[in-house]
Amino acid sequence: MAMRANLRRLWHGSQPTHSSLESKGKSAPASKHSPIKLVVAALVAILVIVFFISNSATFSWSEHGVHAESLKTQPSKAQAVPVTQPSKAQTVPVTQPSKAQAMPITLTCSNQTSPICKRSSNLVSALSLTTPQQSPTCPAYFRWIHEDLRPWKSTGITKEMVEGAQKLATFRLVVLDGRVYVEEYFGQSMTRNVFTLWGILQLVNRYPGRVPDLDLMFNCVDQPSVRSAEYSSSTLPPVFHYCKDDQTSDILFPDWSFWGWPETNIKPWVPLMNEMKAANEEVKWIDREPFAFWKGNPTMGSNRQELLKCNVTNEQDWNARIYSQDWNREEKQGFQQSNLAKQCSHRYRIYVDGLAWSVSQKYIMACNSPTLFVNTRWYEFFQRGLVPGHHYWPIPENNKCRAIKFAVDWGNQHQEEAQAMGKASSNFLTEKVKMDYVYDYMLHVLTEYAKLLRYKPTVPEKATEFCLESMACTAQDNVKRFLLESMEKSTHVSEPCTLPPPFTSLELQQLSQKTADAVKQVEMWEQKAWVEQGNEL
């Protein structure tokens, strides 16, 4: 104890307490044991020196002397600890990996008519600041990425395959060392081209250094373009698109409207979902109109033309309220009647495809109202994670009106089950298709695709570099507003979700059977109800 006390006094620069004689102003007699004290002091000094050397204590020197906070090591429990023992928070070694830090993503527009692409070195180095961590597993629908790319697993993707797909694409995209180059073939004026490319730019900036070098063809029109039966395994062209069916081999990718759709005044996904969430909370399900609602352009496909027959008339009420949307007139009127957040006013929503799939699916299913989903051959990237009977109510293509009437009657009689279905679909969109997962899906599908390339991508001769400045600085009106509103403001501080493994053959069979059984169950309920009412058809 005495030695520890001496160490403390030496650490703080204090002196031993004087005798009572000194306190009274008298001189203390010289000790006859002073040689012994000198030996003890020498031993103490040696111990102190050994203490510092053994702990490798280092100091940072400056004009003002030693900074105590610059000590690099933490004393072990077995060692003598000074009175000013550091707290737990102070004993973390400075060699600990640095925490993840978000780097700002900025856009600076000059007065130049052709803005120059600026590349920030901060974004490129941001990944090195990320502390390794365990990321969550991606939603189950990510597993379909493996299935979409399976046709090229054995052959790989050659440059000839990619360039042979030019006639099926609207643009060619090349990413090299984090830079984006585009060769456009047609449709430059379509905002779906613009916003698809904008979304890819956001991905590159969000995950700097993570998007691999790649070369791909993208189709931005309504329908997929790669008909599987027309090609052999060695000639099948890889083309990215928004939807597909069982007869096409397009590689699925999130559609442009996640970043905005100016022609229809549909806002980017994040602000729009915030508005829809507020609208859902404003009008409770039980207080909504007890009918099925649909509003859209009826000229886009035969399914929509037939749906018009389900509207209420003086002779028949199929529990459906169908409204035609004239987009030209709506634009002239300032889109006053097309606010999606205000279309959650009915207990049930109807989804019906157009010329192919429709971007309206995600907006309809986010309303907290059960979606009456008219059967379609088309599907988009997240749709394969939906389960009939849980996320939506399946409606057959034939006898749509009768099926809609039964679904509404059943839901009004089983309100708890109906509300649970509406909540399940809404939760799926807000939790499993939030923008974090949209970006992660993009990253994973592009990464897995790049692994299949059998050549090193190069910049096409007619390609142009695309960047934030070249796209946003010269944009006008709603296009610019949506671009800026959907722009990522900083790099992402977390790792992307972990891509789950491919389906086994048995899992695919079980999934298909589960879907078929759920649809059949609903059909049996409907048939039984009509038989009981004496209306069997």
XYZ file of all heavy atoms in Angstrom, residues 394-474:
654
model
N -56.952 -13.277 -55.553
C -56.845 -13.561 -56.993
C -58.194 -13.490 -57.704
O -59.201 -14.013 -57.222
C -56.283 -14.987 -57.016
C -56.726 -15.600 -55.721
C -56.749 -14.485 -54.724
N -58.196 -12.827 -58.858
C -59.384 -12.692 -59.704
C -59.077 -13.331 -61.058
O -58.104 -12.943 -61.716
C -59.757 -11.210 -59.908
C -60.068 -10.529 -58.565
C -60.931 -11.069 -60.875
C -61.318 -11.018 -57.877
N -59.868 -14.307 -61.513
C -59.594 -14.939 -62.809
C -59.871 -13.975 -63.961
O -60.659 -13.038 -63.840
C -60.558 -16.121 -62.833
C -61.683 -15.710 -61.932
C -61.055 -14.874 -60.856
N -59.185 -14.190 -65.088
C -59.381 -13.323 -66.252
C -60.800 -13.432 -66.807
O -61.369 -12.457 -67.290
C -58.361 -13.676 -67.340
C -56.932 -13.282 -66.994
C -55.974 -13.602 -68.109
O -55.838 -12.767 -69.039
O -55.347 -14.678 -68.071
N -61.348 -14.642 -66.783
C -62.731 -14.815 -67.220
C -63.658 -14.625 -66.017
O -63.286 -14.901 -64.887
C -62.934 -16.199 -67.839
C -62.585 -17.314 -66.876
O -61.711 -17.153 -66.032
N -63.249 -18.448 -66.995
N -64.818 -14.127 -66.262
C -65.795 -13.851 -65.196
C -65.245 -12.874 -64.149
O -65.420 -13.069 -62.943
C -66.246 -15.148 -64.516
C -67.126 -15.984 -65.418
O -67.926 -15.452 -66.188
N -66.976 -17.296 -65.338
N -64.580 -11.842 -64.622
C -64.016 -10.845 -63.710
C -65.080 -10.220 -62.816
O -64.895 -10.078 -61.613
C -63.340 -9.707 -64.493
C -62.093 -10.074 -65.278
C -61.531 -8.812 -65.950
C -60.339 -9.112 -66.835
N -60.745 -9.907 -68.026
N -66.185 -9.822 -63.424
C -67.200 -9.077 -62.691
C -67.794 -9.911 -61.557
O -67.946 -9.429 -60.425
C -68.309 -8.618 -63.647
S -67.719 -7.588 -65.016
N -68.118 -11.149 -61.870
C -68.692 -12.019 -60.847
C -67.695 -12.249 -59.719
O -68.059 -12.249 -58.539
C -69.098 -13.359 -61.475
C -69.931 -14.240 -60.536
C -70.260 -15.571 -61.172
N -69.099 -16.474 -61.143
C -69.167 -17.772 -61.457
N -70.333 -18.277 -61.853
N -68.105 -18.534 -61.404
N -66.400 -12.445 -60.088
C -65.372 -12.687 -59.078
C -65.154 -11.462 -58.197
O -64.928 -11.583 -56.991
C -64.069 -13.086 -59.761
N -65.236 -10.278 -58.791
C -65.071 -9.044 -58.010
C -66.220 -8.879 -57.025
O -66.011 -8.528 -55.858
C -64.971 -7.828 -58.952
C -63.634 -7.849 -59.707
C -65.115 -6.515 -58.175
C -63.508 -6.810 -60.803
N -67.440 -9.150 -57.491
C -68.602 -9.022 -56.604
C -68.484 -9.968 -55.411
O -68.720 -9.568 -54.267
C -69.893 -9.309 -57.367
C -71.133 -9.251 -56.472
C -72.412 -9.365 -57.249
C -73.619 -9.448 -56.304
N -73.654 -8.345 -55.323
N -68.074 -11.222 -55.673
C -67.953 -12.177 -54.577
C -66.856 -11.744 -53.601
O -67.025 -11.828 -52.380
C -67.624 -13.573 -55.120
C -67.261 -14.549 -54.034
C -68.232 -15.050 -53.173
C -65.933 -14.941 -53.838
C -67.893 -15.928 -52.150
C -65.588 -15.820 -52.834
C -66.569 -16.317 -51.976
N -65.712 -11.263 -54.124
C -64.607 -10.859 -53.261
C -65.029 -9.727 -52.323
O -64.703 -9.741 -51.127
C -63.412 -10.427 -54.111
N -65.760 -8.764 -52.850
C -66.207 -7.637 -52.026
C -67.231 -8.102 -50.992
O -67.162 -7.716 -49.814
C -66.790 -6.520 -52.910
C -67.430 -5.422 -52.049
C -65.696 -5.924 -53.797
N -68.184 -8.930 -51.414
C -69.170 -9.448 -50.463
C -68.489 -10.251 -49.356
O -68.820 -10.106 -48.172
C -70.186 -10.337 -51.191
C -71.167 -9.523 -52.022
O -71.313 -8.307 -51.755
O -71.783 -10.096 -52.949
N -67.522 -11.096 -49.750
C -66.829 -11.911 -48.767
C -66.058 -11.023 -47.794
O -66.079 -11.237 -46.580
C -65.851 -12.851 -49.481
C -65.166 -13.823 -48.561
C -65.571 -15.084 -48.250
C -63.952 -13.587 -47.818
N -64.682 -15.662 -47.371
C -63.678 -14.759 -47.084
C -63.074 -12.518 -47.721
C -62.571 -14.893 -46.256
C -61.957 -12.631 -46.878
C -61.716 -13.812 -46.170
N -65.357 -10.002 -48.310
C -64.579 -9.123 -47.447
C -65.446 -8.332 -46.494
O -65.083 -8.146 -45.316
N -66.604 -7.868 -46.944
C -67.502 -7.107 -46.069
C -68.098 -7.988 -44.983
O -68.470 -7.496 -43.910
C -68.617 -6.461 -46.895
C -68.102 -5.301 -47.732
O -67.071 -4.699 -47.420
N -68.819 -4.976 -48.807
N -68.180 -9.286 -45.262
C -68.689 -10.222 -44.258
C -67.582 -10.763 -43.349
O -67.851 -11.271 -42.267
C -69.392 -11.392 -44.952
C -70.652 -11.000 -45.707
C -71.164 -12.102 -46.597
O -70.705 -13.246 -46.525
N -72.127 -11.780 -47.465
N -66.351 -10.694 -43.802
C -65.189 -11.169 -43.028
C -64.189 -10.002 -42.909
O -63.110 -10.037 -43.463
C -64.526 -12.365 -43.708
C -65.431 -13.533 -43.919
N -66.323 -13.605 -44.974
C -65.590 -14.682 -43.199
C -66.987 -14.751 -44.908
N -66.563 -15.419 -43.837
N -64.610 -8.986 -42.190
C -63.851 -7.743 -42.171
C -62.468 -7.898 -41.538
O -61.505 -7.266 -41.993
C -64.653 -6.666 -41.442
C -65.941 -6.289 -42.162
C -66.669 -5.148 -41.494
O -66.204 -4.594 -40.492
N -67.827 -4.772 -42.026
N -62.351 -8.721 -40.537
C -61.047 -8.896 -39.895
C -60.048 -9.514 -40.868
O -58.903 -9.061 -40.976
C -61.193 -9.781 -38.657
C -59.905 -9.920 -37.872
C -60.097 -10.707 -36.584
O -61.256 -10.871 -36.136
O -59.073 -11.156 -36.008
N -60.490 -10.550 -41.599
C -59.613 -11.197 -42.574
C -59.277 -10.257 -43.728
O -58.142 -10.237 -44.225
C -60.259 -12.473 -43.103
C -60.392 -13.587 -42.082
C -61.722 -13.529 -41.338
O -62.326 -12.427 -41.269
O -62.156 -14.575 -40.825
N -60.255 -9.464 -44.151
C -60.026 -8.532 -45.258
C -59.004 -7.472 -44.871
O -58.091 -7.140 -45.649
C -61.344 -7.875 -45.670
N -59.140 -6.930 -43.684
C -58.191 -5.921 -43.236
C -56.787 -6.504 -43.095
O -55.786 -5.829 -43.398
C -58.639 -5.336 -41.897
C -59.898 -4.473 -42.002
C -60.295 -3.846 -40.674
O -59.598 -2.983 -40.158
N -61.403 -4.292 -40.125
N -56.691 -7.748 -42.647
C -55.382 -8.389 -42.509
C -54.707 -8.537 -43.870
O -53.488 -8.354 -43.996
C -55.539 -9.756 -41.839
N -55.502 -8.849 -44.907
C -54.943 -8.985 -46.250
C -54.451 -7.628 -46.762
O -53.364 -7.533 -47.354
C -55.979 -9.566 -47.211
C -55.443 -9.824 -48.613
S -56.695 -10.538 -49.714
C -56.936 -12.144 -48.945
N -55.239 -6.597 -46.548
C -54.816 -5.270 -46.978
C -53.558 -4.818 -46.261
O -52.654 -4.218 -46.863
N -53.476 -5.120 -44.979
C -52.300 -4.744 -44.202
C -51.072 -5.525 -44.650
O -49.954 -4.994 -44.697
C -52.568 -5.007 -42.713
C -51.562 -4.347 -41.775
C -51.678 -2.837 -41.828
C -50.735 -2.193 -40.811
N -50.762 -0.711 -40.905
N -51.266 -6.811 -45.003
C -50.137 -7.643 -45.438
C -49.506 -7.094 -46.717
O -48.278 -7.053 -46.848
C -50.610 -9.076 -45.646
N -50.345 -6.674 -47.660
C -49.803 -6.150 -48.911
C -49.123 -4.810 -48.694
O -48.047 -4.536 -49.234
C -50.901 -6.022 -49.968
O -51.852 -5.037 -49.606
N -49.741 -3.966 -47.877
C -49.164 -2.654 -47.608
C -47.827 -2.794 -46.878
O -46.847 -2.113 -47.210
C -50.131 -1.814 -46.773
O -49.606 -0.530 -46.519
N -47.767 -3.694 -45.900
C -46.527 -3.918 -45.165
C -45.440 -4.468 -46.081
O -44.256 -4.128 -45.937
C -46.756 -4.877 -44.001
C -47.514 -4.231 -42.847
O -47.638 -3.005 -42.788
N -48.025 -5.039 -41.947
N -45.826 -5.337 -47.010
C -44.845 -5.895 -47.944
C -44.194 -4.780 -48.753
O -42.974 -4.761 -48.934
C -45.526 -6.898 -48.878
C -44.584 -7.574 -49.830
C -43.933 -8.740 -49.480
C -44.334 -7.039 -51.086
C -43.048 -9.368 -50.360
C -43.456 -7.642 -51.969
C -42.814 -8.810 -51.602
N -45.006 -3.840 -49.228
C -44.461 -2.744 -50.038
C -43.592 -1.809 -49.206
O -42.516 -1.376 -49.654
C -45.600 -1.952 -50.683
C -46.073 -2.387 -52.073
C -44.965 -2.210 -53.109
C -46.574 -3.812 -52.102
N -44.022 -1.477 -47.997
C -43.280 -0.513 -47.188
C -42.033 -1.121 -46.552
O -41.039 -0.417 -46.326
C -44.175 0.067 -46.081
O -44.705 -0.998 -45.280
C -45.312 0.871 -46.682
N -42.055 -2.427 -46.281
C -40.934 -3.057 -45.586
C -40.009 -3.838 -46.516
O -38.788 -3.823 -46.340
C -41.463 -3.988 -44.491
C -42.242 -3.266 -43.391
C -42.910 -4.222 -42.422
O -42.663 -5.458 -42.533
O -43.685 -3.756 -41.570
N -40.566 -4.535 -47.497
C -39.763 -5.396 -48.374
C -39.401 -4.745 -49.705
O -38.538 -5.247 -50.426
C -40.514 -6.708 -48.655
C -40.937 -7.469 -47.420
C -39.755 -7.919 -46.591
C -40.205 -8.772 -45.407
N -39.060 -9.155 -44.542
N -40.089 -3.650 -50.050
C -39.797 -2.966 -51.307
C -39.467 -1.498 -51.030
O -39.696 -0.629 -51.857
C -40.981 -3.098 -52.298
C -40.529 -2.733 -53.723
C -41.534 -4.511 -52.311
N -38.934 -1.217 -49.861
C -38.461 0.138 -49.572
C -37.226 0.408 -50.417
O -36.596 -0.514 -50.948
C -38.171 0.293 -48.087
C -37.136 -0.666 -47.536
C -36.983 -0.482 -46.036
C -35.964 -1.473 -45.459
N -35.805 -1.300 -44.002
N -36.845 1.668 -50.530
C -35.768 2.038 -51.443
C -34.441 1.365 -51.095
O -33.639 1.068 -51.987
C -35.588 3.548 -51.493
C -36.598 4.276 -52.375
S -36.748 3.648 -54.079
C -35.112 3.939 -54.730
N -34.200 1.103 -49.829
C -32.978 0.381 -49.468
C -32.904 -0.950 -50.207
O -31.854 -1.328 -50.738
C -32.930 0.133 -47.956
C -32.560 1.381 -47.173
O -32.024 2.320 -47.784
O -32.809 1.415 -45.962
N -34.023 -1.667 -50.242
C -34.042 -2.968 -50.908
C -34.087 -2.835 -52.425
O -33.591 -3.700 -53.141
C -35.221 -3.803 -50.399
C -34.989 -4.395 -49.024
C -35.978 -4.375 -48.053
C -33.761 -4.979 -48.697
C -35.760 -4.921 -46.787
C -33.536 -5.514 -47.443
C -34.538 -5.492 -46.489
O -34.319 -6.028 -45.243
N -34.686 -1.767 -52.922
C -34.663 -1.539 -54.370
C -33.219 -1.391 -54.838
O -32.796 -2.010 -55.822
C -35.492 -0.291 -54.736
C -35.317 0.048 -56.220
C -36.976 -0.520 -54.433
N -32.453 -0.589 -54.120
C -31.043 -0.410 -54.477
C -30.246 -1.702 -54.290
O -29.388 -2.036 -55.113
C -30.422 0.713 -53.650
C -30.779 2.098 -54.138
C -31.436 3.007 -53.319
C -30.458 2.501 -55.428
C -31.759 4.290 -53.765
C -30.776 3.777 -55.887
C -31.431 4.669 -55.045
O -31.750 5.921 -55.504
N -30.525 -2.424 -53.217
C -29.795 -3.668 -52.990
C -30.107 -4.703 -54.067
O -29.222 -5.458 -54.492
C -30.135 -4.224 -51.602
C -29.444 -3.456 -50.487
O -28.733 -2.479 -50.805
O -29.616 -3.815 -49.312
N -31.369 -4.738 -54.513
C -31.715 -5.656 -55.601
C -30.936 -5.288 -56.858
O -30.376 -6.160 -57.544
C -33.222 -5.588 -55.880
C -33.701 -6.662 -56.843
C -34.260 -7.845 -56.367
C -33.602 -6.502 -58.227
C -34.697 -8.835 -57.235
C -34.019 -7.479 -59.099
C -34.572 -8.644 -58.605
O -34.991 -9.616 -59.479
N -30.885 -3.993 -57.169
C -30.131 -3.537 -58.336
C -28.663 -3.947 -58.229
O -28.064 -4.441 -59.191
C -30.252 -2.015 -58.462
C -31.651 -1.517 -58.750
S -31.849 0.254 -58.413
C -30.688 0.972 -59.567
N -28.086 -3.720 -57.054
C -26.673 -4.036 -56.857
C -26.408 -5.530 -57.030
O -25.451 -5.930 -57.707
C -26.224 -3.582 -55.465
C -24.759 -3.860 -55.121
C -23.824 -3.108 -56.051
C -24.469 -3.480 -53.662
N -27.261 -6.360 -56.453
C -27.043 -7.805 -56.522
C -27.232 -8.349 -57.940
O -26.444 -9.181 -58.403
C -27.971 -8.521 -55.549
C -27.501 -8.482 -54.121
N -26.247 -8.914 -53.745
C -28.109 -8.049 -52.984
C -26.105 -8.764 -52.437
N -27.224 -8.230 -51.955
N -28.264 -7.889 -58.628
C -28.488 -8.429 -59.974
C -27.374 -7.985 -60.918
O -26.929 -8.754 -61.777
C -29.887 -8.039 -60.514
C -29.983 -6.563 -60.856
C -30.249 -8.894 -61.723
N -26.880 -6.750 -60.759
C -25.780 -6.290 -61.603
C -24.471 -7.007 -61.249
O -23.671 -7.330 -62.137
C -25.601 -4.780 -61.461
C -26.731 -3.916 -62.027
C -26.445 -2.436 -61.775
C -26.938 -4.163 -63.515
N -24.261 -7.256 -59.971
C -23.047 -7.964 -59.542
C -23.032 -9.395 -60.061
O -22.012 -9.879 -60.583
C -22.937 -7.957 -58.012
O -22.887 -6.607 -57.541
C -21.694 -8.692 -57.548
N -24.165 -10.090 -59.924
C -24.236 -11.479 -60.402
C -24.138 -11.533 -61.925
O -23.534 -12.456 -62.478
C -25.540 -12.120 -59.930
C -25.667 -12.252 -58.406
C -24.518 -13.053 -57.811
O -24.260 -14.169 -58.294
O -23.876 -12.537 -56.860
N -24.712 -10.545 -62.586
C -24.612 -10.481 -64.047
C -23.159 -10.285 -64.472
O -22.673 -10.951 -65.401
C -25.477 -9.328 -64.562
C -25.276 -8.989 -66.023
C -25.954 -9.676 -67.024
C -24.400 -7.962 -66.408
C -25.772 -9.357 -68.361
C -24.211 -7.642 -67.740
C -24.901 -8.340 -68.716
O -24.706 -8.030 -70.047
N -22.461 -9.377 -63.804
C -21.070 -9.076 -64.172
C -20.175 -10.303 -64.015
O -19.189 -10.454 -64.752
C -20.547 -7.920 -63.327
N -20.499 -11.172 -63.075
C -19.710 -12.394 -62.881
C -19.779 -13.316 -64.096
O -18.884 -14.145 -64.302
C -20.205 -13.153 -61.647
C -19.958 -12.448 -60.326
C -20.546 -13.245 -59.174
C -20.375 -12.536 -57.840
N -20.997 -13.299 -56.732
N -20.823 -13.176 -64.897
C -21.020 -14.050 -66.053
C -20.320 -13.543 -67.304
O -20.219 -14.283 -68.292
C -22.514 -14.214 -66.332
C -23.350 -14.844 -65.202
C -24.833 -14.806 -65.561
C -22.906 -16.273 -64.939
N -19.862 -12.296 -67.293
C -19.213 -11.741 -68.480
C -17.901 -12.466 -68.761
O -17.084 -12.667 -67.856
C -18.959 -10.244 -68.300
C -20.193 -9.337 -68.203
C -19.763 -7.888 -68.024
C -21.078 -9.479 -69.434
N -17.690 -12.827 -70.017
C -16.477 -13.543 -70.426
C -15.500 -12.614 -71.151
O -14.644 -13.067 -71.888
C -16.847 -14.728 -71.316
C -17.679 -15.794 -70.617
C -16.861 -16.471 -69.515
N -17.638 -17.512 -68.829
C -18.242 -17.332 -67.668
N -18.166 -16.144 -67.062
N -18.911 -18.308 -67.103
N -15.645 -11.323 -70.953
C -14.756 -10.347 -71.574
C -14.699 -9.109 -70.695
O -15.548 -8.914 -69.815
C -15.249 -9.961 -72.976
C -16.584 -9.239 -72.989
C -16.647 -7.855 -73.109
C -17.797 -9.938 -72.867
C -17.865 -7.187 -73.111
C -19.010 -9.283 -72.870
C -19.036 -7.911 -72.987
O -20.257 -7.253 -72.987
N -13.692 -8.288 -70.902
C -13.565 -7.046 -70.143
C -14.291 -5.930 -70.877
O -13.975 -5.622 -72.030
C -12.089 -6.674 -69.963
C -11.906 -5.387 -69.162
C -10.469 -5.143 -68.816
C -10.301 -3.807 -68.063
N -11.157 -3.737 -66.868
N -15.268 -5.310 -70.251
C -16.027 -4.238 -70.908
C -15.143 -3.061 -71.284
O -14.175 -2.738 -70.590
C -17.056 -3.836 -69.848
C -17.166 -5.021 -68.942
C -15.787 -5.616 -68.906
N -15.496 -2.426 -72.380
C -14.843 -1.199 -72.823
C -15.918 -0.191 -73.198
O -17.076 -0.555 -73.433
C -13.927 -1.454 -74.034
O -14.695 -2.057 -75.086
C -12.767 -2.371 -73.658
N -15.545 1.062 -73.292
C -16.508 2.111 -73.615
C -16.826 2.061 -75.110
O -15.915 2.159 -75.945
C -15.961 3.497 -73.245
C -16.979 4.584 -73.590
C -15.607 3.549 -71.763
N -18.099 1.904 -75.485
C -18.468 1.915 -76.911
C -18.085 3.233 -77.573
O -18.059 4.290 -76.930
C -19.985 1.723 -76.885
C -20.280 1.083 -75.567
C -19.255 1.641 -74.623
N -17.810 3.176 -78.831
C -17.333 4.347 -79.567
C -18.327 5.508 -79.510
O -17.943 6.676 -79.417
C -17.057 3.957 -81.020
C -16.504 5.090 -81.875
C -16.241 4.670 -83.310
O -16.324 3.454 -83.586
O -15.964 5.549 -84.141
N -19.631 5.200 -79.579
C -20.641 6.254 -79.619
C -21.254 6.549 -78.247
O -22.257 7.250 -78.153
C -21.747 5.860 -80.601
C -21.261 5.698 -82.037
C -22.417 5.318 -82.958
C -21.929 5.141 -84.391
N -23.036 4.748 -85.312
N -20.674 6.010 -77.206
C -21.232 6.202 -75.865
C -20.866 7.569 -75.303
O -19.848 8.168 -75.670
C -20.742 5.104 -74.931
N -21.697 8.051 -74.398
C -21.488 9.325 -73.711
C -21.483 9.077 -72.215
O -22.266 8.263 -71.716
C -22.612 10.319 -74.058
O -22.654 10.507 -75.473
C -22.379 11.656 -73.371
N -20.624 9.788 -71.495
C -20.613 9.626 -70.047
C -21.828 10.327 -69.437
O -22.143 11.463 -69.774
C -19.334 10.177 -69.430
C -19.291 9.946 -67.915
C -17.974 10.329 -67.281
O -17.126 10.910 -67.997
O -17.788 10.038 -66.086
N -22.496 9.610 -68.536
C -23.641 10.148 -67.811
C -23.243 10.341 -66.353
O -22.540 9.507 -65.778
C -24.841 9.196 -67.887
C -25.714 9.404 -69.089
C -25.185 9.388 -70.372
C -27.073 9.613 -68.951
C -25.979 9.576 -71.489
C -27.896 9.807 -70.062
C -27.346 9.790 -71.328
N -23.682 11.435 -65.769
C -23.382 11.717 -64.367
C -24.478 12.625 -63.819
O -25.398 13.025 -64.544
C -22.008 12.376 -64.229
S -21.884 13.956 -65.102
N -24.389 12.949 -62.546
C -25.401 13.802 -61.925
C -25.517 15.129 -62.651
O -26.616 15.626 -62.924
C -25.051 14.037 -60.457
C -24.953 12.807 -59.547
C -24.619 13.238 -58.123
C -26.254 12.015 -59.561
N -24.368 15.735 -62.967
C -24.375 17.059 -63.604
C -24.993 17.010 -65.002
O -25.817 17.866 -65.365
C -22.946 17.608 -63.696
C -22.319 17.962 -62.358
C -21.744 16.756 -61.637
O -21.677 15.668 -62.250
O -21.388 16.893 -60.455
N -24.610 16.009 -65.798
C -25.092 15.956 -67.176
C -26.584 15.683 -67.254
O -27.244 16.082 -68.209
C -24.322 14.886 -67.960
O -24.611 13.590 -67.462
N -27.139 15.022 -66.236
C -28.563 14.689 -66.270
C -29.433 15.742 -65.589
O -30.489 16.102 -66.097
C -28.795 13.320 -65.623
C -28.164 12.159 -66.365
S -28.810 10.550 -65.845
C -30.466 10.611 -66.542
N -29.002 16.216 -64.427
C -29.882 17.074 -63.634
C -29.744 18.556 -63.944
O -30.727 19.302 -63.876
C -29.623 16.840 -62.145
N -28.548 18.998 -64.293
C -28.328 20.445 -64.431
C -29.109 21.061 -65.587
O -29.522 22.218 -65.511
C -26.835 20.731 -64.591
S -25.885 20.395 -63.080
N -29.306 20.331 -66.658
C -30.011 20.873 -67.816
C -31.484 20.477 -67.862
O -32.195 20.859 -68.794
C -29.323 20.408 -69.107
O -29.309 18.969 -69.156
C -27.892 20.913 -69.174
